[in-house]
Amino acid sequence: MTILVTGGAGYIGSHTIIELIVAGHNVVVVDNLCNSSKISLERVERITSTQIPFFQADIRDKKALSDILDMYSIDACIHFAGLKAVGESTAYPYEYYDNNIIGTLNLISVLRKHNIKNIIFSSSATVYGEPATIPITEECPKGKCTNPYGWTKWMIEQMLMDLHTADPTFNIVILRYFNPIGAHQSGLIGENPNGVPNNLMPYITQVAVGKREYLHIFGNNYDTPDGTGVRDYIHVVDLARGHVKALEAINRNCGVAIYNLGTGKGYSVLEIVKAFESVNGMKIPYVIDPRRPGDIATCYSDPQKAQRELGWKADNGIEEMCRDSWNWQRRNPNGYEQ
Ligand code: NAD
Ligand code: UFG
């Protein structure tokens, strides 16, 4: 199949393109590079020995999207493009709704005009809010999000489902990611946050590489075994492979389907620090800070639906995640900046 990949220069998109190419698909990438570098795609070309058609364009630009779609016969779209920083979304809600919601509406409008009705969407475990049950199944009701970023995922999911209700010839797969970490084993591509990392693993690797003095652990008084927050970390390569499986579902005319992509196992912040230290043979100094507003105690998936229906499960464990995160950071201390 030929897949339009929006946001393909980003962290998850770049890893997914590799797996798509390995599975024999063609890709066309659209990214405005607002949170990524073209170098990631050059590295993907190196890893796959494949030239990747890339267009620097904003998904809010209908004309640009339409011109691209006129040039290719696209079978499906994997829609990664979006802004994703939780804290920033609270300070800039307009920008988040504009980019994520308007961007997605524009994209859908252009896809429809080109009769492309197969869409895979990057959603997030954040839509569950404070989860009603743990582990979280897809039947768990969507909750109240604590920030505009989360609401954009919540609303886009609804938009896509309504689209399918009105026109059942749409095939929509909504993938709710848990906490992606790790990097491609080559160490050539990985997560490249701008400024101070918001997420745990890139913060740890920046401490490890000497860019930051110590990790701030946000709270050790949660109702968890060691008091620190528990999350379902998933290797980004496993996550990427989940998209290939989702495409197979689309090929079977799946209609609308929602899947958790997680491992089903929760690790606390302290467990991640200890695993990173032991796998990579180094110390990660840390301090305990107050809780971060909006954080919940525990969040991990029940991933059985994806296993049952897609034949997908995560293969990599926490050791591989810690090893590959560090391999990427140590080889690229400044990310894609040379
Ligand atoms: P990323 O920022 O690395 O990738 C997103 C890409 O989209 C970037 O390359 C950015 O330049 C591009 N982009 C943003 N707005 C655009 C626009 N208007 N037009 C064109 N391109 C645009 O983020 P990621 O971690 O790879 O996340 C990919 C998707 O997965 C996002 O939708 C994100 O919300 C979602 N997600 C990520 C996580 C996570 O923890 N990383 C968790 C759940 C869901
Ligand atoms: N944490 C720290 N110190 C840090 C960063 C994080 O202690 O510097 C803790 C958090 O308090 C939390 C855990 O590490 O307990 C994980 O935090 P992350 O910021 O890495 O991840 P979140 O679970 O908060 O959120 C991430 C993405 C969201 C996405 C969600 C899906 O940032 O976009 O996973 O589960 F929606």
Side-chain angles (χ1 to χ4, degrees):
M1 293 167 88
T2 300
I3 317 299
L4 176 72
V5 182
T6 73
Y11 173 47
I12 304 170
S14 56
H15 287 82
T16 302
I17 291 170
I18 295 176
E19 300 307 318
L20 290 170
I21 291 172
V22 167
H25 298 293
N26 301 311
V27 298
V28 176
V29 177
V30 175
D31 198 304
N32 66 0
L33 302 181
C34 70
N35 195 41
S36 53
S37 161
K38 202 179 165 291
I39 297 172
S40 67
L41 292 175
E42 290 164 13
R43 303 253 177 111
V44 170
E45 289 184 326
R46 226 165 102 189
I47 294 165
T48 58
S49 305
T50 304
Q51 268 208 331
I52 296 167
F54 168 64
F55 297 89
Q56 184 170 351
D58 194 300
I59 56 165
R60 287 164 297 182
D61 182 345
K62 274 192 190 174
K63 162 101 178 55
L65 277 184
S66 201
D67 289 348
I68 296 162
L69 293 186
D70 283 343
M71 284 189 271
Y72 296 90
S73 175
I74 300 287
D75 300 297
C77 172
I78 306 185
H79 178 32
F80 294 104
L83 299 176
K84 65 160 186 177
V86 170
E88 186 183 69
S89 78
T90 307
Y92 300 99
Y94 176 83
E95 284 71 15
Y96 270 68
Y97 289 115
D98 180 50
N99 195 78
N100 294 3
I101 304 275
I102 304 290
T104 302
L105 283 171
N106 271 349
L107 175 68
I108 292 169
S109 150
V110 179
L111 290 174
R112 275 209 305 192
K113 283 203 178 109
H114 287 77
N115 205 31
I116 300 162
K117 294 188 170 180
N118 297 321
I119 303 173
I120 296 174
F121 174 59
S122 298
S123 190
S124 165
T126 199
V127 300
Y128 293 113
E130 181 84 55
T133 50
I134 295 277
I136 306 173
T137 66
E138 292 81 354
E139 279 69 47
C140 183
K142 283 162 76 178
K144 276 198 172 148
C145 298
T146 52
N147 56 77
Y149 163 73
W151 283 118
T152 68
K153 294 296 177 195
W154 202 104
M155 291 176 199
I156 293 168
E157 283 197 359
Q158 190 62 46
M159 281 159 38
L160 291 170
M161 288 192 279
D162 291 343
L163 204 65
H164 173 264
T165 306
D167 178 355
T169 63
F170 269 96
N171 286 305
I172 308 273
V173 180
I174 290 169
L175 298 177
R176 292 179 178 158
Y177 310 156
F178 281 68
N179 289 53
I181 59 171
H184 191 259
Q185 272 192 23
S186 62
L188 286 171
I189 61 167
E191 190 168 9
N192 184 32
N194 280 328
V196 182
N198 294 300
N199 299 117
L200 179 63
M201 186 53 86
Y203 207 107
I204 291 177
T205 60
Q206 290 201 6
V207 172
V209 85
K211 282 186 145 181
R212 315 215 170 258
E213 227 179 310
Y214 40 77
L215 170 70
H216 299 260
I217 294 184
F218 300 139
N220 65 351
N221 57 355
Y222 283 104
D223 184 15
T224 60
D226 65 22
T228 64
V230 169
R231 296 290 183 276
D232 184 343
Y233 297 92
I234 172 168
H235 197 294
V236 65
V237 171
D238 283 324
L239 188 74
R241 291 180 182 145
H243 295 74
V244 176
K245 294 291 188 183
L247 268 183
E248 291 171 12
I250 278 195
N251 257 337
R252 299 190 293 267
N253 284 321
C254 60
V256 69
I258 300 179
Y259 297 104
N260 286 338
L261 293 186
T263 64
K265 185 155 174 41
Y267 286 95
S268 74
V269 177
L270 281 172
E271 284 175 322
I272 294 292
V273 170
K274 286 195 190 107
F276 190 93
E277 289 181 334
S278 110
V279 169
N280 297 312
M282 58 177 67
K283 271 317 243 189
I284 301 296
Y286 64 83
V287 289
I288 305 291
D289 276 10
R291 291 181 180 193
R292 183 171 64 177
D295 274 357
I296 56 176
T298 303
C299 173
Y300 60 90
S301 68
D302 178 339
Q304 288 181 66
K305 186 180 177 201
Q307 179 160 11
R308 213 169 45 240
E309 294 185 12
L310 299 179
W312 172 90
K313 72 172 181 45
D315 292 326
N316 290 286
I318 204 64
E319 287 78 19
E320 288 88 355
M321 298 185 219
C322 290
R323 179 197 66 201
D324 294 339
S325 292
W326 175 231
N327 184 42
W328 150 253
Q329 181 77 78
R330 98 188 145 76
R331 286 169 186 251
N332 305 270
N334 298 314
Y336 292 114
E337 282 167 32
Q338 303 299 323

